[in-house]
Amino acid sequence: MCGITGWIDWDTDLLHQARTVREMTATLACRGPDADGVWLSRHAALGHRRLSVIDLDGGVQPLADRPGPEAGAVLAYNGELYNHRELRAELEALGHVFRTRSDTEVVLRAHLQWGREAPARFNGIFAYALWDARHEELLLVRDHLGIKPLYWHAHRSGVLFGSEPKAVLANPLFRPELDAEGIAELFALPAAPSAGHGVFRGLHEVRPGHLVVVARAATRELRYWRLESAEHRDDAETTRRTVRELLADAVERQLISDVPLCTLLSGGVDSSAVTALAAAARERAGQGKIASFSVDFPGSADRTPDAWRTTRDAPYVAAAADHIGTLHTTVLVPDDDLLDARDAVLRARDRPGWGEMDASLHLLFREVRRRSTVALSGEAADEIFGGYPYFHDAAALAAPAFPWLHGKATPADLLRPDVRAEVRPEEYAADAYRRSLGEVPRLPGESAADARTREVFHLALTRWLPPLLDRVDRVSMSVGLEVRVPFCDHRLVEYLWNVPWALKAPEGRSKGLLRDAVRDLLPPQVTDRPKSGYPSTPAVRYTEVLTARARELLADPNAPVFDLVDREAVRRLLAEGRPLPSPRTAPNPVGGLDHLVQVDEWLRAYRVGLR
C-alpha cells in the first residue's frame, strides 16, 4: 500500500515547485517506507511513497504510459487490485504490452482502454490520481466502499490532493481552519460523519464509489458504482452457499502478496472465518501455516461485560487459533504504552479520534508489522450481516435518527452557548440524517418494516462503516502495515444488500446467515459467540492521567479547546465525578475525557484557526 499526493495549477508553472511537492510527498513516508517518486509538468505534479507488496522491483511510481515529458497519462496509485491478473489478460488480448508485473500498470492501461469506465471493472482497495496530459484533466478515484482514503482541496487556480490531510497541509496554499460545519462534524456527528467532509474548512474526501474530474472549466464528482435494490429470489440454502463462495473467493484473492501476510484474529466469527478460509487456501496452495494476531490488556479478565463487549476475547482466540492451526501471537498492551502512543495516533489521523482504542490498535499494528507487511481483517461483517446491537433494538430502529446515536449524548452537549448558536448541532445532525435517507435505493412494494431495515443497512454502510475503515487504514498505515478487508468485497456487499432480514438473521439469530455459512470451519463456541466489540482497556491509570490533563486545561486560561467547549460545564462534570459525553457509541467512561484532551492537542499541534 502507498501514499499519494499532488498539485494541479492552471496559473503556476509547477516545474519550479519541486521542493513543495517533495515536502507534500514526504509527509506520507509512513504509508510508503520503501521508495518515493515525484513527476512534474507545467500544470500537474504527482508524488508517491511506496510500500512494496506486489512486483517489488517493477512497481515504481508515479507510472507514466511512456517515459519523459511526452507522457500522455501518469498515475499515482495507492491500493491492491485483486483481479489484476484477469484484467491484464483481457488488456493483452486487446493489444496492450506490459512492462511490469504490477497491478499499478493494469490500472493505468485500463484507463487508457476504457477511460472513466475503468474503475467499475476493478475488484480491490484503491485510491489514485490519474493525470491525462492529452486533455489536461485529473481523475481522483476511490474504491467502491471507501477502504482507501483520498482528500482534495480546490484552491483559486486548481486542486491539491493527498492520501491524508497532512499532505495537503504541507502546501502553503492550504490553511488549517475549522468552521461551523467542521465543528458539527467533530462534536455532533463523530460517529456518523458526512460523506465527503474532510473536517478542515475547504477539505473534501473523494466519496466511496466516486471519481472527481478536475479540468480547467470545472471540477465535478461522478459516481461509478452504487447499490441497486432488487427482489432476492434465492432460497435459504442457495443464499448460504452463495455467501460462502463469495467470501471464500474474496479471501483467496486477497492472499496475493510478495511479502509476509497474516490475519487479525479476535475470536469472533468474522475474523475467525477469514482466518479459517485463508488457512484453507494456503493449504491448498501448498503453503505453510498462517500467522494470526490479537490484542489484550492487563486485567482484562476482571472487566465487567456490557452490551457492546459481551465476552472476553482471549478464550475464543485460543479456541479459534488451535482449531484452525495458526501461528498465533497475542499482543499485550500495558497502560503506559497506551499513553505514550497518543501523539502518534493523533498524527496518524490528522484529527481527534477514538483515544485509547486508536492507541491500542496502533500498538497492535506496530507489533504485527515487525513480522508481516499485510494483514487480513474481519472488519465490515457486522455492517453487511447486521451484527450490531442497534440492528436488534426496536426503539433505536423506530427513532428518526441514526439508530446508533439514539438516546446517546454527544460532545456537542459541551459546546459553549455562543458556539452552539452558530453551529446548531441538533439541526445539523437532523439534516445529515435526512440527506442520508434520501440516498437509499428503494424497492417498490417492500413492507414498511423491510424498508426500514434496508434504510438502516444503508446508513450502516455509508455513515457507520466509513469512520471504522478510516481508523483501520490510518492507524495501520502509520506503521507501514497494509490491512485488507474481505467482507468489503463489493460483490459480496451487492449480494447481501438484497438478502432479506429473515435470511440474514434466521430465527432471530444475529448474523445467523454468516454463522451457518462458515459453521464447518470453526469450533461451535466461536461460531455461536455473541457479538463483542473491539476491547477497551480497563486501566485505572489511563483514566487518572487523562483526568489530570483535563484539570490542567481547566486551569489554563489560553487552552484552545475552550474556544469551543463550555469550561464551566466541564468543571462541573469533573467535580461531580460524572463522565463527559463521548464521541463513541460503545460504553466507555473515559471516551469524553479522551475527546476533550485530544481536541485541545489537535488545535495546538495543527495550529487550527477557527472561523
Side-chain angles (χ1 to χ4, degrees):
M1 209 54 61
C2 306
I4 66 170
T5 188
W7 182 0
I8 303 299
D9 203 311
W10 310 118
D11 293 346
T12 300
D13 186 347
L14 298 181
L15 290 168
H16 303 300
Q17 297 296 326
R19 179 177 178 180
T20 298
V21 177
R22 292 193 181 280
E23 289 172 350
M24 295 169 68
T25 306
T27 66
L28 303 173
C30 60
R31 297 188 71 92
D34 297 328
D36 69 322
V38 165
W39 183 89
L40 299 172
S41 68
R42 182 174 176 81
H43 296 303
L46 305 182
H48 188 266
R49 292 288 317 198
R50 187 182 184 208
L51 176 66
S52 303
V53 173
I54 294 175
D55 191 6
L56 306 188
D57 297 324
V60 177
Q61 295 191 53
L63 180 68
D65 62 341
R66 54 182 180 270
E70 302 303 317
V74 186
L75 175 68
Y77 170 71
N78 167 32
E80 301 292 348
L81 214 59
Y82 304 131
N83 63 338
H84 71 95
R85 291 172 177 168
E86 298 97 312
L87 288 173
R88 176 186 294 266
E90 185 176 357
L91 288 163
E92 285 176 335
L94 291 169
H96 290 265
V97 177
F98 286 82
R99 306 193 306 268
T100 73
R101 292 190 300 108
S102 71
D103 56 340
T104 303
E105 189 174 7
V106 173
V107 172
L108 177 63
R109 297 201 168 275
H111 270 278
L112 293 175
Q113 180 66 39
W114 297 302
R116 297 177 192 172
E117 305 301 316
R121 295 172 176 261
F122 298 159
N123 178 296
I125 54 178
F126 50 83
Y128 59 88
L130 180 80
W131 171 247
D132 184 342
R134 299 160 299 181
H135 301 98
E136 289 198 328
E137 181 178 272
L138 176 76
L139 297 183
L140 300 175
V141 186
R142 195 167 177 214
D143 62 60
H144 302 70
L145 274 296
I147 301 161
K148 292 288 109 181
L150 185 54
Y151 294 84
W152 62 280
H153 165 69
H155 60 86
R156 183 183 57 82
S157 55
V159 163
L160 308 173
F161 64 89
S163 293
E164 299 180 6
K166 57 176 60 70
V168 178
L169 287 163
N171 191 300
L173 291 176
F174 185 77
R175 298 177 59 186
E177 294 179 333
L178 193 63
D179 60 12
E181 284 192 8
I183 295 168
E185 290 289 323
L186 283 179
F187 285 84
L189 288 176
S194 298
H197 202 293
V199 177
F200 290 105
R201 179 175 177 267
L203 187 66
H204 310 280
E205 194 170 11
V206 180
R207 297 181 63 182
H210 284 69
L211 55 86
V212 174
V213 184
V214 181
R216 283 181 182 267
T219 296
R220 296 174 294 150
E221 189 172 41
L222 306 174
R223 182 191 292 268
Y224 70 83
W225 178 80
R226 72 178 72 232
L227 290 168
E228 295 182 359
S229 295
E231 184 180 354
H232 183 76
R233 298 183 181 277
D234 291 348
D235 61 20
E237 177 56 35
T238 303
T239 301
R240 282 194 295 271
R241 185 174 62 251
T242 303
V243 166
R244 171 65 171 267
E245 291 171 352
L246 286 170
L247 181 59
D249 184 67
V251 170
E252 187 163 10
R253 285 175 180 271
Q254 296 186 27
L255 292 174
I256 297 172
S257 174
D258 294 337
V259 293
L261 178 146
C262 68
T263 69
L264 305 174
L265 179 62
S266 70
V269 65
D270 312 339
S271 63
S272 299
V274 168
T275 301
L277 289 167
R282 286 172 64 92
E283 184 177 358
R284 288 194 301 272
Q287 299 170 333
K289 291 185 176 182
I290 195 165
S292 60
F293 293 84
S294 63
V295 66
D296 204 356
F297 305 94
S300 63
D302 301 325
R303 186 182 182 93
T304 303
D306 58 48
W308 285 81
R309 302 178 187 91
T310 56
T311 51
R312 182 171 172 247
D313 284 351
Y316 298 93
V317 169
D322 181 65
H323 185 88
I324 298 167
T326 72
L327 303 173
H328 188 74
T329 301
T330 296
V331 178
L332 195 65
V333 177
D335 302 359
D336 287 345
D337 288 2
L338 279 174
L339 291 163
D340 292 342
R342 284 178 53 82
D343 184 64
V345 295
L346 178 63
R347 296 291 183 175
R349 300 197 69 174
D350 292 326
R351 58 172 289 177
W354 297 353
E356 53 91 5
M357 290 178 66
D358 289 348
S360 64
L361 194 67
H362 169 82
L363 294 169
L364 167 63
F365 287 162
R366 189 180 69 182
E367 290 305 308
V368 172
R369 183 61 176 90
R370 297 184 194 279
R371 287 169 255 186
S372 292
T373 306
V374 177
L376 268 63
S377 165
E379 201 77 62
D382 288 303
E383 287 78 8
I384 60 176
F385 286 98
Y388 287 111
Y390 59 79
F391 280 100
H392 306 269
D393 183 339
L397 295 176
F402 296 108
W404 52 90
L405 295 179
H406 172 66
K408 294 182 172 64
T410 69
D413 292 350
L414 293 179
L415 290 174
R416 286 170 29 166
D418 57 328
V419 177
R420 172 178 286 277
E422 193 73 23
V423 173
R424 301 193 297 277
E426 291 83 7
E427 180 180 328
Y428 187 89
D431 286 345
Y433 176 69
R434 284 192 292 270
R435 289 196 305 273
S436 298
L437 287 186
E439 297 177 356
V440 178
R442 306 291 176 176
L443 182 61
E446 205 167 37
S447 70
D450 287 343
R452 178 54 178 167
T453 302
R454 188 178 293 277
E455 289 178 348
V456 173
F457 270 101
H458 200 266
L459 294 173
L461 285 168
T462 60
R463 301 303 291 268
W464 172 276
L465 180 59
L468 299 181
L469 294 175
D470 181 73
R471 168 179 177 254
V472 169
D473 172 84
R474 302 288 284 282
V475 177
S476 65
M477 293 309 298
S478 72
V479 297
L481 176 70
E482 175 184 316
V483 175
R484 299 176 179 176
V485 278
F487 283 106
C488 280
D489 185 297
H490 72 275
R491 300 167 304 159
L492 178 62
V493 175
E494 287 172 346
Y495 184 77
L496 284 165
W497 169 248
N498 287 309
V499 173
W501 179 246
L503 291 181
K504 285 180 179 172
E507 302 166 347
R509 292 181 292 122
S510 175
K511 289 194 293 190
L513 172 57
L514 174 61
R515 299 179 196 279
D516 293 344
V518 299
R519 189 167 295 279
D520 61 307
L521 298 173
L522 304 170
Q525 67 267 40
V526 173
T527 306
D528 296 321
R529 182 190 180 190
K531 166 66 183 174
S532 193
Y534 181 84
S536 65
T537 176
V540 173
R541 173 167 160 71
Y542 188 89
T543 304
E544 291 175 344
V545 170
L546 279 191
T547 301
R549 291 185 182 177
R551 295 191 188 282
E552 291 172 4
L553 292 179
L554 287 170
D556 180 358
N558 299 314
V561 69
F562 292 117
D563 291 335
L564 300 172
V565 170
D566 188 329
R567 189 186 298 261
E568 292 309 312
V570 172
R571 193 189 311 277
R572 184 171 60 254
L573 288 172
L574 290 180
E576 295 172 356
R578 296 163 56 195
L580 275 60
S582 172
R584 311 175 208 163
T585 55
N588 191 299
V590 77
L593 274 175
D594 247 341
H595 190 255
L596 178 81
V597 174
Q598 202 169 57
V599 168
D600 188 85
E601 293 169 343
W602 176 67
L603 292 170
R604 295 175 192 259
Y606 283 74
R607 299 180 180 180
V608 181
L610 300 179
R611 293 276 293 230

